[in-house]
Structures are given as C-alpha cells and as structure tokens.
Amino acid sequence: MTTVSFHYWWGSNRSVPTSWLWMPGRPLKPEFAKNGTYYEHGGGKGLELQWRSVMEVQKPEWVMLLTWNDYNESYIEPVDDYKNYPNGTSDAPRGWYKPMAGLGELNRYFIQHYKTGVQPEITADSLFWCYRTSSQKLAASADPDRPPVKIGNGPVGDDLYLTTALTAPAELRVNSGGRETRHSVPAGIGQTVVPFQPGRQQFSLWRDGKKLVEAEGEPVVDAIEFYCYWPTTGYATAGR
C-alpha cells in the first residue's frame, strides 16, 4: 500500500497561532505554535512525480489518498475555504485556507492512469495552477516573535507551478504582477515553473493565434499579517 498526500510537504500547520488549529488527539500546547520546517511540494509537478513513483517504482496493489480524515492532512479535497464549513478551525480568518479544486481535479488524471494501467486520452485543453500567495521571505506583521519557517528540503523559490493537459502543443502565457512570459508547452501533461511577482496572476493558453483558455488566480501579496503557507489552486478547461 502507498499513501499519496500533500500535508507532509506543505507543513503549514505550524506557522499560525494555536487557536487556529484543530489537531486530533493533541492538546493545544504553546510548543505547537512554533514555526516548523517547510517542505515545498511543487504543485502539479510534485503530484505527477508522486504518481510516477507509485506506478513505475513502487507498484503497490492499492493507493490511499489522505482526504477527509483530518482537515490539515491533505490538499486534494474539493473544498474552497474550510472557514465556510463547521470544521474546528476556530478563529482562523476566511482566506487563510486556500481553494483546493485545482489539485483535486488534476488528481483525477493520475487516478485513472493508476487504476486502468493506460495513460488517459486528453480530449480537452486544460490548465492547472498552484502557488503560495506570498513570498517565503516575508515576515508577518502580527507575529513579530517568529521568523518565517525553516526550509526543509533545499531552496524554495517563490514560484507559480503550472500544469497543462493538452490535445496538441500550445503556448502558455503568464502575467505575474505585470511581468509577462511565454512558454511552449507540449501535448499531453506538461509542467512549467515561473517565478511569481506581487500582484495579479493571469494565465492563458494559445494555439495558432487563437486563445483557448484564460484564467486568473488569487493575487500574490507583498505584505502579510500572519504566516500562511497553504497554496492556492485552480483550473480552467477550454469550452467550459
């Protein structure tokens, strides 16, 4: 058996006041509020690497996806913001937890591949995004006693992780904080990593001079009140 989970990589449950957290089986103690080690997963790129390991190296009989057993144990649930539902997050403000739809939708592709043993046919052009909404280097104004979390698995870039699922090659255009970059992306599943800038985050897919998909993610901010390392995610599909 193999487990596919994002929780252990994002490590965000040690970067906020204890009263915001729901920790099953644990009393709330001051030491749990200390900033821990942050492990960058890499959005859809990291998810693809996990599934490649499952299918090509580990080859287990079954896979367990951590979803509903703990609100802080997964990042592939079809949830927009936990604060919209009764879940024990106490006084965490709306917007601290981020939408999960992007990685949840992308996961469908890899689940089907694992179950059938056949790479799924892509019948519609899609774009998925995943990124933190603030730089890892920012210090929280309302939390002066704690520095940003430590880095646990090497340097962490302030990046947009963009996954494309295409019927044919296309061009990915990214406008991050007013800075536009263009990237050639292949048919099938492709991964593109682009440094983010504070401001609006806009994405589009083009082929033969025609816009296929246009979308906008959550803005990246240049100042934070509290630490938050949850990534925001989303997706857009041509014709939908």
Side-chain angles (χ1 to χ4, degrees):
M1 186 272 289
T2 292
T3 298
V4 174
S5 169
F6 267 39
H7 166 70
Y8 302 102
W9 286 268
W10 291 115
S12 54
N13 71 332
R14 293 186 181 181
S15 58
V16 297
T18 51
S19 62
W20 289 13
L21 301 180
W22 176 58
M23 299 182 179
R26 290 184 181 180
L28 292 179
K29 296 182 179 180
E31 57 265 32
F32 290 145
K34 296 178 181 178
N35 277 6
T37 301
Y38 175 77
Y39 296 93
E40 181 69 87
H41 184 276
K45 180 180 179 181
L47 185 62
E48 180 182 16
L49 289 174
Q50 281 197 66
W51 277 109
R52 284 189 178 277
S53 175
V54 167
M55 292 183 281
E56 299 172 7
V57 180
Q58 302 174 56
K59 301 179 181 179
E61 292 186 9
W62 59 287
V63 174
M64 178 175 69
L65 301 180
L66 293 182
T67 54
W68 302 104
N69 66 320
D70 179 346
Y71 294 110
N72 286 305
E73 287 283 352
S74 178
Y75 213 85
I76 48 178
E77 302 173 12
V79 174
D80 50 1
D81 186 336
Y82 284 134
K83 282 301 293 184
N84 294 329
Y85 313 96
N87 56 65
T89 55
S90 187
D91 56 347
R94 276 187 169 79
W96 188 77
Y97 285 108
K98 304 299 182 182
M100 305 181 177
L103 295 180
E105 185 67 20
L106 178 59
N107 212 30
R108 294 175 182 268
Y109 176 90
F110 299 112
I111 291 173
Q112 182 179 338
H113 192 177
Y114 170 75
K115 285 185 173 182
T116 64
V118 178
Q119 189 168 334
E121 179 185 4
I122 296 173
T123 58
D125 298 305
S126 297
L127 169 65
F128 306 82
W129 58 88
C130 178
Y131 57 92
R132 287 176 285 108
T133 57
S134 61
S135 171
Q136 185 275 331
K137 302 177 181 65
L138 289 181
S141 62
D143 200 357
D145 295 330
R146 291 185 295 177
V149 291
K150 299 176 182 178
I151 302 304
N153 61 341
V156 173
D158 291 336
D159 295 320
L160 305 169
Y161 294 96
L162 304 166
T163 302
T164 45
L166 303 178
T167 60
E171 181 181 69
L172 169 63
R173 299 182 185 180
V174 180
N175 190 312
S176 179
R179 179 183 178 186
E180 183 177 280
T181 56
R182 300 187 180 190
H183 312 267
S184 296
V185 285
I189 298 294
Q191 306 291 349
T192 304
V193 180
V194 180
F196 65 60
Q197 308 294 326
R200 297 174 66 183
Q201 309 300 311
Q202 300 166 297
F203 322 111
S204 58
L205 286 172
W206 295 74
R207 182 182 298 127
D208 299 328
K210 179 182 178 181
K211 185 187 298 182
L212 307 172
V213 173
E214 184 174 39
E216 183 166 349
E218 190 172 346
V220 170
V221 299
D222 58 7
I224 55 174
E225 184 178 8
F226 294 104
Y227 290 107
C228 176
Y229 295 94
W230 292 102
T232 185
T233 79
Y235 70 98
T237 300
R240 298 181 188 174

